[in-house]
Amino acid sequence: MTPAFVFTIQTSTDKGRTWLVDGTAADERGYASPEQLASDVLDATYRSLLEGTGSAPVPLVQVQVYSGSVTGIPLATSSIGTDRQWEATHDLLAEISADIKRFEEEKKQAEQQAASAHTAIGNAKQRLESVTKSAIRMKMPQVDIAHGANRSREWVRRIQGGLTTGQ
């Protein structure tokens, strides 16, 4: 059976001289390893602090894992030092940058598809008018042309008027 772990999340704004407990929670995922729990909670906590508003420096973060309740000596402790903070920050910056690049590429492809669709619509409208002109010259009834083209009889009359004026 997996042991029931609890953990504390602590932060320090004075380079680790003092630690404030920001939260205590129980392991809800059923970790088998207190070290892995401490590491995962630390990573998630630090990431959420990094993605904050950026209005204040990110504090040092430490996670301590206990068995059953927050008493005694922790089974595992995981903390962020300057090197690890920079590495985690670099990784998050790279991830966000890659997301932006991917979104820009998706936007470019969508714009190309929209331009292609716009061209296709224009071409289809020209074909529809061309075939309509042929139908008018064949003396096909306006109502039949309008129905087949899914347009109004006024639309057919406008094209017919253009034929008689030499357009």
Side-chain angles (χ1 to χ4, degrees):
M1 181 173 158
T2 304
F5 298 123
V6 294
F7 57 89
T8 61
I9 299 171
Q10 303 169 10
T11 58
S12 174
T13 56
D14 60 6
K15 299 184 182 194
R17 287 189 294 276
T18 58
W19 292 93
L20 299 173
V21 176
D22 286 347
T24 301
D27 168 23
E28 296 179 358
R29 293 188 179 176
Y31 278 84
S33 161
E35 293 82 9
Q36 188 62 52
L37 173 60
S39 178
D40 288 355
V41 170
L42 179 70
D43 290 346
T45 301
Y46 187 69
R47 183 182 188 96
S48 70
L49 290 169
L50 273 177
E51 292 178 343
T53 62
S55 61
V58 176
L60 293 178
V61 180
Q62 172 176 277
V63 175
Q64 293 183 331
V65 177
Y66 300 85
S67 179
S69 64
V70 182
T71 57
I73 299 172
L75 299 173
T77 299
S78 188
S79 62
I80 294 264
T82 302
D83 290 345
R84 191 161 174 204
Q85 280 182 311
W86 288 353
E87 181 182 337
T89 303
H90 175 272
D91 292 349
L92 184 57
L93 289 168
E95 179 183 320
I96 294 167
S97 179
D99 285 346
I100 290 170
K101 185 176 181 178
R102 187 182 81 243
F103 295 145
E104 287 172 341
E105 183 59 34
E106 288 174 5
K107 179 183 174 191
K108 181 180 174 184
Q109 289 175 357
E111 288 170 346
Q112 288 172 343
Q113 288 176 342
S116 177
H118 182 73
T119 300
I121 290 168
N123 291 342
K125 284 182 177 181
Q126 287 177 340
R127 287 178 46 225
L128 185 64
E129 285 192 27
S130 177
V131 171
T132 299
K133 288 175 183 176
S134 293
I136 291 169
R137 288 186 181 107
M138 292 184 325
K139 307 287 187 214
M140 185 173 177
Q142 286 182 357
V143 69
D144 291 338
I145 296 170
H147 185 263
N150 199 23
R151 297 288 191 259
S152 67
R153 288 180 70 191
E154 289 77 28
W155 179 83
V156 176
R157 283 189 201 107
R158 189 174 64 245
I159 292 175
Q160 189 173 20
L163 285 175
T164 58
T165 60
Q167 291 181 345

